[in-house]
Amino acid sequence: MTSREPSTSPEDDLPEEEASQGDAAQGSAPRDDLSRDDLSQGDAAQGAVAAQEAEAPPPLAAVTPPLVRLERVVASDDAGPHGDARGRLHHAEAAFAPGVHMILGTPEDGTLALAHVLSGRTRPSSGRVRVGGHDPARHAKTRARLGALLGAPELPDTRTVAAVVEMAQRARGEARPSAAALLDGRGLGRLLARRPVSLSFAEARAVELALALSTPEPLCVVLVEPFAEVTSLDAAALRVELHALAEKGACVLVLTSSRTDAWALGDHVHQLDRGVLLPALPAGRGGEIVVQVEEPRPGEEAAGGGVRALATALTEVPGLQAVAWEEAQRAPQVPSGGDTPHPTPPAPTLALSTLRVRAADLDAASLSILDAATRAGVVLASIRTATPPPTRRQVGRTVQPGGGR
């Protein structure tokens, strides 16, 4: 349960800001191969489509997918010592439809910061968060349909656990609050008469998980490590319950550092890496994965990283059929300032190289790529499955990259 309400000010009544979006362009040099096999050619062109909201958001009952949207969100948590940030989000972008989405990462990667802005506990420093078309930090009716289990329990200190539970049920509009009906069915009835401050960490999380899962008509349920440090947890029953919520139209977001839990539960597995939220990881049997890799900025090459470092790390991974890359080229930069005696040096540009991996098992290959990137100190910009190669009939009408040989 989230007990802290976001601060309000007169600006809350003003129209919500529009987030700016930019496009980036880059070139690529001929690729080097680490395999004798030729990788299938996929389409390289990708466009960015910005979804615009209507002036008046639709009623909650009429919301259509995606239910949850992040637009260039910059945020931090307060989970470090003395309330300092433990992790941050850096211009995170995502759109989540109803279903079970696993966010794979650690608090240092920004999982707690993400949970805080999704639940409406805090507002991002910049960017926009929308749940059901509304800002959860500003819209009380949206927060009433948000279930949240955050990293640390936040139960208020009242007389009993029963009083806390029923207070939360009334706050979200339940006509007949009953703590006993909620907790008895989850094997937590023994906690009803105790004071919240007397609960252990795992017991308090169990109460908050029960409240999150019982949210009336939930739009979104955000859970941080729900399979860890929770008293009386039936993991198998919890997986069934999360999928049942998704089937009823809820967006279930589970943030975890456990890859076993992520692949066992999620319909979609996303990677949160050092504040950058990647699209859903490729999964399934057999195919090709396309990875965009950030190259070191000028002057930082000695620190390593980049597509060559990742490709080298992947040569040690069994089960991969082929690995190849296309190394990005930075456009020549001319210092600004014209003929002035002290021209301003140009700002370093971000260069993205492309790495392609072919494997018989995309689940295992995705995890291997993430492991290799961590070992090699490589920053991933995106990871996706390759566009299927054209059919034989289409090949004759398709202009091939590099001049259409």
Side-chain angles (χ1 to χ4, degrees):
M1 182 184 71
T2 303
S3 60
R4 184 183 306 182
E5 289 292 331
S7 61
T8 58
S9 64
E11 68 178 350
D12 290 355
D13 297 328
L14 298 176
E16 297 164 359
E17 71 280 8
E18 293 293 330
S20 61
Q21 299 189 358
D23 298 320
Q26 75 209 28
S28 59
R31 69 185 185 187
D32 298 318
D33 287 326
L34 296 181
S35 169
R36 297 177 183 176
D37 296 334
D38 292 326
L39 292 173
S40 58
Q41 295 277 349
D43 294 332
Q46 286 186 316
V49 179
Q52 298 182 348
E53 295 181 349
E55 290 185 8
L60 293 182
V63 170
T64 57
L67 282 178
V68 178
R69 189 182 296 276
L70 291 88
E71 300 176 2
R72 298 186 61 79
V73 171
V74 176
S76 59
D77 59 43
D78 56 0
H82 312 295
D84 295 335
R86 186 176 176 185
R88 293 178 171 82
L89 298 178
H90 301 293
H91 301 286
E93 297 221 16
F96 300 105
V100 179
H101 301 265
M102 304 297 290
I103 312 296
L104 188 58
T106 66
E108 290 70 23
D109 289 316
T111 54
L112 298 181
L114 179 60
H116 289 177
V117 296
L118 287 173
S119 64
R121 181 183 186 271
T122 59
R123 295 176 184 168
S125 302
S126 64
R128 299 201 305 177
V129 178
R130 295 292 180 269
V131 177
H134 298 270
D135 182 346
R138 294 182 176 183
H139 200 263
K141 290 184 178 180
T142 296
R143 288 197 301 276
R145 297 178 64 185
L146 271 170
L149 172 68
L150 302 181
E154 296 186 341
L155 294 175
D157 185 17
T158 57
R159 301 187 315 277
T160 63
V161 169
V164 170
V165 171
E166 293 180 0
M167 178 175 64
Q169 291 173 327
R170 284 191 294 270
R172 61 194 189 187
E174 295 185 48
R176 296 181 178 180
S178 173
L182 176 62
L183 298 186
D184 282 342
R186 297 180 179 274
L188 301 173
R190 65 188 185 281
L191 305 179
L192 287 167
R194 290 175 53 183
R195 290 194 63 178
V197 293
S198 73
L199 300 181
S200 68
F201 186 87
E203 289 171 337
R205 277 176 56 82
V207 173
E208 292 193 346
L209 177 60
L211 280 167
L213 297 176
S214 63
T215 301
E217 299 183 4
L219 284 171
C220 180
V221 178
V222 182
L223 306 175
V224 176
E225 300 290 3
F227 296 96
E229 295 190 272
V230 174
T231 295
S232 303
L233 177 68
D234 184 336
L238 177 57
R239 293 188 185 97
V240 172
E241 190 168 5
L242 294 180
H243 281 291
L245 289 173
E247 290 174 2
K248 294 178 181 178
C251 180
V252 180
L253 296 167
V254 179
L255 292 80
T256 180
S257 59
S258 170
R259 295 181 176 178
T260 301
D261 289 342
W263 289 109
L265 175 64
D267 300 326
H268 314 279
V269 179
H270 306 254
Q271 173 78 6
L272 182 58
D273 181 31
R274 286 163 278 191
V276 178
L277 186 59
L278 302 178
L281 299 179
R285 312 303 306 179
E288 186 177 319
I289 298 174
V290 179
V291 186
Q292 284 195 307
V293 181
E294 289 189 15
E295 292 295 335
R297 297 177 183 273
E300 299 178 357
E301 292 84 351
V307 70
R308 289 178 178 268
L310 180 57
T312 300
L314 288 174
T315 59
E316 305 172 3
V317 176
L320 302 184
Q321 298 172 335
V323 178
W325 75 83
E326 300 169 0
E327 195 163 7
Q329 288 183 325
R330 285 188 175 88
Q333 297 182 14
V334 179
S336 60
D339 298 330
T340 58
H342 301 288
T344 303
T349 58
L350 180 65
L352 300 179
S353 296
T354 301
L355 181 118
R356 295 173 178 268
V357 177
R358 189 165 62 199
D361 186 337
L362 294 184
D363 291 357
S366 295
L367 294 180
S368 296
I369 292 170
L370 297 179
D371 284 334
T374 300
R375 294 197 312 270
V378 172
V379 178
L380 305 183
S382 68
I383 178 169
R384 60 178 177 82
T385 52
T387 303
T391 63
R392 181 172 299 180
R393 178 176 297 178
Q394 293 171 324
V395 167
R397 298 179 299 185
T398 303
V399 178
Q400 300 295 328
R405 293 177 295 177

